[in-house]
Amino acid sequence: MLHEDVVAHLRDKLIDGVLPPGSRVPEKELCAELGVSRTPLREALKVLASEGYIVLLPNRGARVAKMTARNMEELFEVCGGMEALAGELACHYATDAEIAEIKALHDRMAEFYEARNLAGYYPLNRAIHEAIVRATHNSVLMNLYENVSARIRRARFVVPMPPDHWRLAMAEHEAILNALQRRDAIMLSSILKTHLRNKSEQVERAGFAESDETPVPAATARKTPAGKTPAKKPPAKKNQPAKSEMERIP
Amino acid sequence: MLHEDVVAHLRDKLIDGVLPPGSRVPEKELCAELGVSRTPLREALKVLASEGYIVLLPNRGARVAKMTARNMEELFEVCGGMEALAGELACHYATDAEIAEIKALHDRMAEFYEARNLAGYYPLNRAIHEAIVRATHNSVLMNLYENVSARIRRARFVVPMPPDHWRLAMAEHEAILNALQRRDAIMLSSILKTHLRNKSEQVERAGFAESDETPVPAATARKTPAGKTPAKKPPAKKNQPAKSEMERIP
DNA sequence: AATGGCAATTTTGAATGCAAAATGGTTCAT
DNA sequence: ATGAACCATTTTGCATTCAAAATTGCCATT
């Protein structure tokens, strides 16, 4: 299964930001790196484009999809809707065992919160949300959620976590678990949507100005940016919507 | 843009049921039919697989995704969640012009309802739902909705429309328009979810038992577009190799 | 020096070719 | 007769090749 491997590998690279938003996707170098020919690689690019990670420009190759503030907003809106739906469905369809499992995850996460261990907290937070989605027993929703949440995850490197936000998030998680245990669909749905909106606002406040205009030129091993030594651009473009670089999509 | 053409063409074929669920996707014949080589066709298959229309079996080619009752249920659940979200967002983001446009569509649809013209009614019904989603100004949601609703549309050939169901649907649409005009997000969201659930139940009642086990074989040029009247189960086995085709998905 | 045009190179998109796997049919042993 | 094993054919997956488009570099002209 070479094809799926290539898709998975590239998707991870895109989620992890190894290939920076706005940059070109260098077919040749990726072929060399993965040890495959262009055929399976191009197939993978088509798939990743349909998943929203990259954009295909006819006769001009692929570029990594940018993360604009608006785009993140959209993703959060959709993700919030999905989580709300997941909560509602989970209240109907989750088994007691699944709810117990989620409680276990929650308790472990709470311990990390008490210890103020963010690195331990994050994975469990994610695991809980994924477990809720799984508990819907709705594979269509699982797939779409995986896509949307992964696209959001691309932005995770810019989120700080102020103490009061963290406290609020933890309180919301208490309410989430509580509503799920009572199988209160309306309540769980509502809390999850609020939870996501808070996260969205927090991310928005953290700001995307920088990723809006990465002047990143070409490619993979960018030891030395060949193009135009962007080094000192940041202050200049702050207020401008900055379509300067990437918007060459005529 | 040859690649996109191939994807679009095949997707239409899949939505329209020209390639029946469960059947093999004959690469060679589609190449001949579309006048392209296998390379762009296979790229298209990968994309369609990621969109959920077909299933790729390693070293065994592609098969058209089946529509089981459970799968339809899942799609309707997700679609309902999306429409509810769309209604909510549309109340916030729609322009007055967009709402006016939706009202215009609604009024035209109402006329077809009065005339009991189902063929005229359906496209407008769909146009209204799409317009609501567009009015969210959320392109992520638009893309996902397009995918989910198209996958549901594959099942449309089995839905009858009893008079009282139609009356109920029309009443719901009145309420939808009303809530949207008042920008009552909660209400609109709720009505849309109910509206979809009703449609889902109606479709479920119509039944999918048949498509759960379509003995349909290879399927290249199906002149008879998969009418819901196979009616000839006995001879079906005779005409086709039958078993060697379908159930080899271990 | 800056701009415009032209040729060389690179990159993209699709067709073809080739090895491995699966499928189908036949033969042969039980 | 059943079915296990073998070989021929088809199909699949990927690599390679080829033509067209875009990008780049160079030079001439202003």
Side-chain angles (χ1 to χ4, degrees), chain B residues 78 117 134 175 179 211 226 241:
Chain B
V78 172
N117 180 340
R134 263 200 314 279
S211 63

Coordinates of all heavy atoms in Angstrom, one line a residue, chain B residues 78 117 134 175 179 211 226 241:
Chain B
V78 N -25.3 13.6 9.8 CA -24.3 14.7 9.6 C -24.9 15.8 8.8 O -24.7 17.0 9.1 CB -23.1 14.1 8.9 CG1 -22.1 15.2 8.4 CG2 -22.4 13.0 9.7
N117 N -46.5 20.3 -8.5 CA -45.6 19.9 -9.5 C -44.2 19.5 -8.9 O -43.4 20.3 -8.5 CB -45.3 21.2 -10.4 CG -44.3 20.9 -11.5 OD1 -43.5 20.0 -11.4 ND2 -44.4 21.7 -12.6
R134 N -24.8 28.7 1.5 CA -23.9 29.7 0.9 C -24.0 31.0 1.7 O -23.0 31.7 1.9 CB -24.4 30.1 -0.5 CG -23.6 29.4 -1.6 CD -23.7 30.1 -3.0 NE -25.1 30.5 -3.2 CZ -26.0 29.6 -3.7 NH1 -25.7 28.4 -4.0 NH2 -27.3 30.0 -4.0
A175 N -41.7 27.9 7.8 CA -41.1 28.2 9.1 C -39.6 28.6 9.0 O -39.1 29.5 9.6 CB -41.3 27.1 10.1
A179 N -38.1 32.1 10.1 CA -37.0 32.2 11.1 C -35.8 33.0 10.5 O -35.2 33.8 11.2 CB -36.6 30.9 11.6
S211 N -30.6 -2.2 -1.9 CA -29.3 -1.7 -2.3 C -28.2 -2.3 -1.3 O -27.1 -2.2 -1.5 CB -29.2 -0.2 -2.2 OG -29.5 0.2 -0.9
A226 N -30.2 2.0 -13.7 CA -30.4 1.4 -12.3 C -31.7 1.7 -11.7 O -31.9 2.1 -10.6 CB -29.3 2.0 -11.4
P241 N -21.7 -13.5 -14.3 CA -20.9 -14.4 -13.5 C -21.3 -14.4 -12.0 O -20.9 -15.2 -11.3 CB -19.5 -13.8 -13.7 CG -19.6 -13.1 -15.0 CD -21.0 -12.6 -15.1

